[in-house]
Amino acid sequence: MTSTIRTNAWEELVTSALLGTDRRTPPADVLSPGKEAPVALLDAAALHTVRRRAGLRAAPARPLPEPAPHDDRRALPEPARRRLTQLLADRAAPTGSGGRRGTTPDLTELLPQWLATANEHGYRAPASALPALLDAARARTDLRPLALRFAGPRGLWLARLNADWKFALRGAPGGSALPAADDAEAVRRLWEEGLFAERVALLGAVRTHDPAAALALLSATWPTERAEDRLMFLDSLRTGLADADEPFLEQALSDRSRNVRATAAELLSALPHSALAARMAARATTCVGQDRTDGTARIAVEAPHECDAAMQRDGVVPTPPSGRGERSWWLGQLVEAAPLSTWPERLGGRTAEEIVALPVADGWGEELQAAWCRAAVRQRDPGWSRALLGAPAAPPSTGPATSSLAERAKLLATLPDGERAEWVAAFISAHGLSEAFQLLGVCAVPWAGALGRAVVDALDIARDGGSYPWSFSGVMGLAERCLDPAEAAHLELLTAIPDEAEGASPGAGGYWSEAFQRLVSTLRLRATMQTELAPGTPCAPGSPPGAE
């Protein structure tokens, strides 16, 4: 009865509040005597609010989550733990709207490098740092693989408890504790019941241990997987791609998803001995050959006149992008997918350098050489990449194949680290920094000595010439992250404010001085970070290796 009276009284109070006490007087039995109606209404509402809340039944307690899994990686040294806290705190600090000035290192840009080094040394993330680490990974997709690997199984456990971190459940290898690759029952159970991220990581781990077992695992559930999951699983086969993958990939050419079919065709074309590569070579050689009609060696091209069903099954997309002709579009796909070993025999036993230098009849040269560039990248062929890049001192517009810096960067990525750095260093020495930014991005970090010196020399030349300093801020930022920290001592002379050259931008000297001071400070900080992360550095008190 009491419950009914209170419920009705509450409804009366709500109605009076909505309509106003002038239009609906609250019931007298719930109002305080001697007060005006509006005040009495508020008093009654406060009283009944407390009654309603006090009358609620307590909800049953939610079950406690399972304990966090054990992470047996080594504990982080105490100096490195403090540095991580600083890096994560700086990430959340507000930034100004103007251009970056001052001599203080940008800690945000050093976080990826710190995480990479910590992962290389096999450290685990401190439990107290996991929330900030997951927040950082949420804000920056480029940080996620490194951050989630460092967070480890505890990071994945924590991510399940917060919807803001659900990206971690879709993402990174190493995000969970995986069973031993030779534990068949545990592998099967996780493959059938695990989260998608766990299954991707499991497939990679099993593939590293036993490629045949990984393919058997994938084949067992392939027909029932979602199209987007099939595409991701197929993409994971890029690592360690081998001839043994061909039968599975050939079956995937008939997949109901167009994207899956295209990826399977791309992977097969990267296997030079596959049946698809042979089919593409046969098609491409009917389109490209030698021409000696006037006694001059050149390449003749006859682009395909149709894109039949067999070509489409092998990954040739029939409809070109807007602005592209059908025949040139089909030709480019055939040449791109054909093994590069096809062309020396087809074109008179010539080397890659000699083939690239041959003239091409009827204006097909640009299309043909662009396809060879894509083939060299897909097949990871350093010989053809060298031929297509040409000499670094040659002007890009007169190069043997492509003047596109984006394409050149992809070709460079197929070369060994040392050769890549030497090529880019020579390019910068010949052409300066204005066209080198994309090329620097594919060089191994820290930059080799010759490359680092070439970058610093070019920056020094730009400074002495009175160049507009802000146009080099991107390269300067890249140098802060990529120069060898040992170069800091050699850069001290550049931190002084130079004499202002005639025609120089006003204030340019001060900017250059700040930029070089920041560069030196950042390199020294990177050296300190490496020391803090070095194995053998003392851990926090009470945290021996293997314990939190």
Side-chain angles (χ1 to χ4, degrees):
M1 182 66 180
T2 303
S3 173
T4 303
I5 292 173
R6 288 176 179 171
T7 300
N8 293 340
W10 177 256
E11 292 174 352
E12 289 286 345
L13 289 172
V14 170
T15 302
S16 296
L18 291 173
L19 297 178
T21 54
D22 290 339
R23 298 177 61 189
R24 174 66 66 88
T25 304
D29 59 336
V30 299
L31 295 180
S32 302
K35 293 186 177 180
E36 295 182 359
V39 177
L41 174 65
L42 293 177
D43 286 347
L47 176 63
H48 279 266
T49 297
V50 174
R51 285 178 176 173
R52 285 167 60 83
R53 289 178 177 175
L56 291 176
R57 290 185 178 181
R62 298 179 62 183
L64 293 175
E66 295 181 2
H70 181 64
D71 189 343
D72 58 3
R73 292 176 295 175
R74 69 174 71 183
L76 199 63
E78 180 58 22
R81 179 195 286 259
R82 292 195 298 268
R83 182 71 63 192
L84 175 62
T85 300
Q86 181 187 21
L87 294 173
L88 291 173
D90 187 78
R91 181 200 68 81
T95 57
S97 58
R100 183 164 169 242
R101 295 295 302 268
T103 61
T104 305
D106 184 353
L107 300 184
T108 302
E109 292 305 317
L110 294 183
L111 181 57
Q113 198 168 108
W114 188 98
L115 289 170
T117 305
N119 287 331
E120 288 172 7
H121 290 311
Y123 292 118
R124 71 167 180 271
S128 60
L130 287 174
L133 189 65
L134 290 170
D135 280 342
R138 179 192 179 202
R140 288 181 58 176
T141 56
D142 64 306
L143 205 62
R144 289 181 184 179
L146 291 170
L148 294 180
R149 180 182 169 190
F150 183 56
R154 291 181 176 183
L156 186 64
W157 172 87
L158 188 61
R160 291 193 180 102
L161 306 178
N162 187 338
D164 288 344
W165 299 329
K166 62 183 178 181
F167 68 88
L169 307 181
R170 300 189 297 265
S176 61
L178 300 176
D182 55 0
D183 186 345
E185 177 58 26
V187 166
R188 181 197 63 77
R189 186 166 57 253
L190 183 59
W191 180 251
E192 294 178 353
E193 302 174 4
L195 297 168
F196 177 68
E198 295 172 323
R199 300 178 73 210
V200 171
L202 177 67
L203 184 64
V206 175
R207 184 170 173 81
T208 300
H209 176 76
D210 185 350
L215 276 182
L217 201 65
L218 187 55
S219 300
T221 59
W222 183 258
T224 61
E225 302 286 358
R226 299 183 305 167
E228 56 268 34
D229 292 351
R230 293 200 305 277
L231 182 62
M232 290 293 292
F233 289 138
L234 200 62
D235 199 62
S236 70
L237 299 184
R238 295 180 189 277
T239 302
L241 184 67
D243 291 337
D245 299 320
E246 181 182 0
F248 179 82
L249 293 173
E250 272 286 343
Q251 293 181 5
L253 288 177
S254 302
D255 194 89
R256 56 188 179 275
S257 166
R258 179 175 60 83
N259 290 333
V260 171
R261 295 195 302 270
T263 301
E266 180 187 348
L267 293 174
L268 283 168
S269 67
L271 295 172
H273 304 297
S274 68
L276 180 138
R279 295 193 295 269
M280 288 299 198
R283 294 175 180 126
T285 52
T286 63
C287 299
V288 180
Q290 295 188 82
D291 178 16
R292 288 185 174 274
T293 53
D294 59 358
T296 302
R298 64 167 59 89
I299 298 175
V301 174
E302 179 65 29
H305 291 272
E306 64 173 344
C307 182
D308 58 30
M311 289 169 61
Q312 294 181 43
R313 182 182 183 275
D314 283 347
V316 178
V317 178
T319 305
S322 177
R324 289 287 301 275
E326 283 185 337
R327 297 181 64 198
S328 64
W329 173 243
W330 300 333
L331 173 71
Q333 294 179 79
L334 295 182
V335 174
E336 177 183 355
L340 289 164
S341 58
T342 302
W343 303 112
E345 180 180 354
R346 176 63 173 165
L347 299 173
R350 293 178 172 85
T351 65
E353 289 80 2
E354 292 169 337
I355 291 172
V356 169
L358 284 174
V360 181
D362 302 325
W364 285 102
E366 185 176 342
E367 184 67 48
L368 182 60
Q369 295 196 350
W372 277 335
C373 286
R374 296 193 300 272
V377 172
R378 179 183 294 189
Q379 298 171 35
R380 309 294 298 175
D381 191 311
W384 272 83
S385 293
R386 292 186 193 100
L388 292 161
L389 282 166
S397 59
T398 63
T402 178
S403 60
S404 165
L405 291 174
E407 290 294 332
R408 287 188 164 209
K410 293 177 184 178
L411 292 170
L412 278 169
T414 69
L415 302 182
D417 289 347
E419 183 180 353
R420 194 184 315 167
E422 290 176 2
W423 197 97
V424 177
F427 182 92
I428 291 171
S429 297
H431 309 294
L433 288 170
S434 59
E435 296 184 338
F437 187 80
Q438 285 179 290
L439 306 182
L440 287 168
V442 299
C443 292
V445 177
W447 288 337
L451 177 57
R453 287 189 294 273
V455 171
V456 172
D457 288 347
L459 288 170
D460 191 21
I461 291 170
R463 181 189 71 152
D464 290 344
S467 296
Y468 192 66
W470 293 271
S471 62
F472 293 93
S473 59
V475 175
M476 187 65 79
L478 202 57
E480 292 173 15
R481 300 189 297 275
C482 302
L483 265 179
D484 190 329
E487 296 292 327
H490 306 145
L491 296 171
E492 285 286 0
L493 290 175
L494 301 180
T495 60
I497 298 178
D499 295 332
E500 193 164 295
E502 184 177 351
S505 302
Y511 176 91
W512 281 112
S513 176
E514 281 185 3
F516 278 114
Q517 288 180 60
R518 185 171 60 246
L519 175 57
V520 171
S521 299
T522 302
L523 294 180
R524 288 178 173 158
L525 177 57
R526 285 175 52 207
T528 301
M529 285 166 45
Q530 291 176 2
T531 301
E532 293 169 347
L533 286 165
T537 304
C539 297
S543 297
E548 182 57 50

